[in-house]
Amino acid sequence: MADRPAPDREHPADRPDHYDVRTHAVSGQVVVGRHNTVSQATVGGPPPDPVTDAELAVLRAEFARLRELVPADAPDAGRARELLDEVEESATAPEPDLTTMEYALGWFRRRLPELASAVTSLLLHPVTVRLLDAAGTTVAEDFRRRLGGG
C-alpha cells in the first residue's frame, strides 16, 4: 500500500471547500460549491394590458347570459341573480372583492350546483383574470390561492 503525502494546506487545491473556477463568455448565473441555495425575486415587470371597453362588454354579456340560465322556478332564483350581480360588480371593481367571489361560488355549489361550473368559468374568464392582475400582485395571488385561477 502506497503512502499518500499529507495534504498541503497552503496549496489551494488541498484546502477544504476551495474551488478554482474560470469562466469565459458566461451569460447567466454560475453557482459553485456545496449546499448552495439560489433564489430569484422578480420585482415589477411590465404592467398587464388594460382591459378594453369591448372586452369588458363581452364579460358583462357573459354575466347577463348566465343570469338568464338561472331557472325561474328555482327557490333561490332571485338570490342567485343577486349574487351574480355582486360577483360581476366585484370582478369589475378597481379593488375586486375576493370574499364575495369566493362566497358566491360556494353558494352556487351548495344551492344550484348545475350552475357552479358556469360561475367558475366567469371567475376564470380571461378578462376577469386580467382585471384581477391589474388590481395588483397581492390581489391576483390571493385570487389564485382562493379560487385556483390561472
Side-chain angles (χ1 to χ4, degrees), residues 53-69 88 92 122 125:
D53 289 339
E55 291 170 322
L56 198 53
V58 168
L59 181 63
R60 291 189 187 284
E62 290 296 318
F63 273 100
R65 186 184 64 76
L66 183 53
R67 276 186 212 89
E68 292 174 11
L69 292 177
E88 180 179 359
T92 58
L122 281 176
H125 192 281

Short mmCIF file of all heavy atoms in Angstrom, two decimals, residues 53-69 88 92 122 125:
data_model
loop_
_atom_site.label_atom_id
_atom_site.label_comp_id
_atom_site.label_asym_id
_atom_site.label_seq_id
_atom_site.Cartn_x
_atom_site.Cartn_y
_atom_site.Cartn_z
N ASP A 53 -62.84 48.43 -23.37
CA ASP A 53 -64.29 48.51 -23.18
C ASP A 53 -64.99 47.35 -23.90
O ASP A 53 -65.97 46.81 -23.39
CB ASP A 53 -64.82 49.85 -23.70
CG ASP A 53 -64.39 51.02 -22.81
OD1 ASP A 53 -64.05 50.78 -21.63
OD2 ASP A 53 -64.41 52.17 -23.30
N ALA A 54 -64.47 46.97 -25.05
CA ALA A 54 -65.08 45.86 -25.80
C ALA A 54 -64.94 44.55 -25.03
O ALA A 54 -65.89 43.75 -24.97
CB ALA A 54 -64.43 45.75 -27.18
N GLU A 55 -63.78 44.32 -24.43
CA GLU A 55 -63.58 43.10 -23.64
C GLU A 55 -64.47 43.10 -22.41
O GLU A 55 -65.04 42.07 -22.04
CB GLU A 55 -62.11 42.97 -23.23
CG GLU A 55 -61.17 42.69 -24.38
CD GLU A 55 -59.71 42.82 -24.00
OE1 GLU A 55 -59.37 43.73 -23.21
OE2 GLU A 55 -58.92 41.99 -24.48
N LEU A 56 -64.59 44.25 -21.78
CA LEU A 56 -65.46 44.37 -20.62
C LEU A 56 -66.92 44.10 -21.01
O LEU A 56 -67.66 43.45 -20.27
CB LEU A 56 -65.30 45.75 -19.99
CG LEU A 56 -65.79 45.93 -18.57
CD1 LEU A 56 -65.20 44.90 -17.63
CD2 LEU A 56 -65.47 47.33 -18.08
N ALA A 57 -67.32 44.58 -22.18
CA ALA A 57 -68.69 44.34 -22.67
C ALA A 57 -68.93 42.85 -22.88
O ALA A 57 -70.02 42.34 -22.57
CB ALA A 57 -68.93 45.12 -23.95
N VAL A 58 -67.92 42.14 -23.38
CA VAL A 58 -68.05 40.69 -23.57
C VAL A 58 -68.25 40.00 -22.23
O VAL A 58 -69.12 39.13 -22.08
CB VAL A 58 -66.81 40.13 -24.31
CG1 VAL A 58 -66.78 38.60 -24.25
CG2 VAL A 58 -66.78 40.60 -25.75
N LEU A 59 -67.46 40.39 -21.23
CA LEU A 59 -67.60 39.79 -19.90
C LEU A 59 -68.98 40.08 -19.31
O LEU A 59 -69.64 39.18 -18.79
CB LEU A 59 -66.50 40.31 -18.96
CG LEU A 59 -66.52 39.73 -17.54
CD1 LEU A 59 -66.29 38.23 -17.55
CD2 LEU A 59 -65.48 40.43 -16.67
N ARG A 60 -69.42 41.31 -19.43
CA ARG A 60 -70.75 41.67 -18.90
C ARG A 60 -71.86 40.89 -19.62
O ARG A 60 -72.84 40.49 -18.99
CB ARG A 60 -70.97 43.17 -19.01
CG ARG A 60 -70.08 43.97 -18.05
CD ARG A 60 -70.46 45.44 -18.02
NE ARG A 60 -69.55 46.25 -17.25
CZ ARG A 60 -69.50 46.31 -15.93
NH1 ARG A 60 -70.32 45.57 -15.20
NH2 ARG A 60 -68.64 47.11 -15.31
N ALA A 61 -71.69 40.67 -20.92
CA ALA A 61 -72.67 39.88 -21.67
C ALA A 61 -72.70 38.43 -21.17
O ALA A 61 -73.77 37.81 -21.12
CB ALA A 61 -72.35 39.92 -23.17
N GLU A 62 -71.53 37.91 -20.78
CA GLU A 62 -71.48 36.55 -20.24
C GLU A 62 -72.21 36.47 -18.89
O GLU A 62 -72.91 35.50 -18.61
CB GLU A 62 -70.03 36.08 -20.09
CG GLU A 62 -69.35 35.82 -21.41
CD GLU A 62 -69.98 34.67 -22.18
OE1 GLU A 62 -70.31 33.63 -21.57
OE2 GLU A 62 -70.15 34.82 -23.40
N PHE A 63 -72.06 37.50 -18.08
CA PHE A 63 -72.81 37.54 -16.81
C PHE A 63 -74.31 37.60 -17.09
O PHE A 63 -75.09 36.90 -16.43
CB PHE A 63 -72.38 38.75 -15.96
CG PHE A 63 -71.20 38.48 -15.07
CD1 PHE A 63 -69.93 38.91 -15.44
CD2 PHE A 63 -71.35 37.80 -13.87
CE1 PHE A 63 -68.83 38.67 -14.62
CE2 PHE A 63 -70.27 37.55 -13.05
CZ PHE A 63 -69.00 37.99 -13.42
N ALA A 64 -74.72 38.41 -18.05
CA ALA A 64 -76.15 38.52 -18.39
C ALA A 64 -76.68 37.18 -18.90
O ALA A 64 -77.79 36.76 -18.53
CB ALA A 64 -76.35 39.61 -19.45
N ARG A 65 -75.88 36.50 -19.72
CA ARG A 65 -76.29 35.19 -20.24
C ARG A 65 -76.47 34.19 -19.11
O ARG A 65 -77.44 33.43 -19.08
CB ARG A 65 -75.25 34.69 -21.24
CG ARG A 65 -75.63 33.40 -21.95
CD ARG A 65 -74.52 32.90 -22.85
NE ARG A 65 -73.31 32.54 -22.14
CZ ARG A 65 -73.15 31.42 -21.42
NH1 ARG A 65 -74.13 30.56 -21.30
NH2 ARG A 65 -72.00 31.16 -20.82
N LEU A 66 -75.56 34.23 -18.13
CA LEU A 66 -75.67 33.30 -17.00
C LEU A 66 -76.90 33.62 -16.14
O LEU A 66 -77.59 32.71 -15.68
CB LEU A 66 -74.40 33.32 -16.16
CG LEU A 66 -74.36 32.33 -14.99
CD1 LEU A 66 -74.67 30.91 -15.44
CD2 LEU A 66 -73.02 32.41 -14.29
N ARG A 67 -77.19 34.90 -15.96
CA ARG A 67 -78.40 35.26 -15.20
C ARG A 67 -79.64 34.65 -15.85
O ARG A 67 -80.57 34.23 -15.17
CB ARG A 67 -78.55 36.78 -15.12
CG ARG A 67 -77.77 37.42 -14.01
CD ARG A 67 -78.08 38.90 -13.91
NE ARG A 67 -76.91 39.61 -13.46
CZ ARG A 67 -75.95 40.10 -14.25
NH1 ARG A 67 -76.03 40.00 -15.54
NH2 ARG A 67 -74.92 40.70 -13.72
N GLU A 68 -79.67 34.63 -17.19
CA GLU A 68 -80.81 34.07 -17.91
C GLU A 68 -80.89 32.55 -17.76
O GLU A 68 -81.96 31.97 -17.93
CB GLU A 68 -80.73 34.44 -19.39
CG GLU A 68 -80.94 35.93 -19.63
CD GLU A 68 -80.72 36.31 -21.09
OE1 GLU A 68 -80.61 35.41 -21.95
OE2 GLU A 68 -80.65 37.53 -21.36
N LEU A 69 -79.78 31.90 -17.43
CA LEU A 69 -79.78 30.45 -17.26
C LEU A 69 -80.29 30.01 -15.89
O LEU A 69 -80.55 28.84 -15.68
CB LEU A 69 -78.36 29.90 -17.47
CG LEU A 69 -77.80 29.98 -18.89
CD1 LEU A 69 -76.37 29.47 -18.91
CD2 LEU A 69 -78.68 29.21 -19.85
N GLU A 88 -70.26 40.13 -10.50
CA GLU A 88 -69.90 40.99 -11.62
C GLU A 88 -69.34 42.32 -11.11
O GLU A 88 -68.30 42.80 -11.58
CB GLU A 88 -71.11 41.25 -12.51
CG GLU A 88 -70.80 42.15 -13.69
CD GLU A 88 -72.00 42.38 -14.59
OE1 GLU A 88 -73.10 41.83 -14.33
OE2 GLU A 88 -71.84 43.13 -15.56
N THR A 92 -65.32 43.52 -11.56
CA THR A 92 -65.02 44.68 -12.41
C THR A 92 -64.66 45.93 -11.61
O THR A 92 -64.36 46.97 -12.20
CB THR A 92 -66.21 44.98 -13.34
OG1 THR A 92 -67.38 45.22 -12.56
CG2 THR A 92 -66.46 43.82 -14.29
N LEU A 122 -66.84 32.06 -15.31
CA LEU A 122 -66.82 33.52 -15.31
C LEU A 122 -65.70 34.05 -14.42
O LEU A 122 -65.06 35.05 -14.74
CB LEU A 122 -68.16 34.08 -14.84
CG LEU A 122 -69.26 34.09 -15.89
CD1 LEU A 122 -70.57 34.57 -15.29
CD2 LEU A 122 -68.87 34.96 -17.07
N HIS A 125 -62.60 33.56 -16.32
CA HIS A 125 -62.64 34.15 -17.66
C HIS A 125 -61.37 34.98 -17.86
O HIS A 125 -60.93 35.67 -16.93
CB HIS A 125 -63.90 35.03 -17.78
CG HIS A 125 -64.20 35.46 -19.16
ND1 HIS A 125 -63.53 36.52 -19.76
CD2 HIS A 125 -65.10 35.01 -20.07
CE1 HIS A 125 -64.02 36.69 -20.97
NE2 HIS A 125 -64.96 35.78 -21.19
#
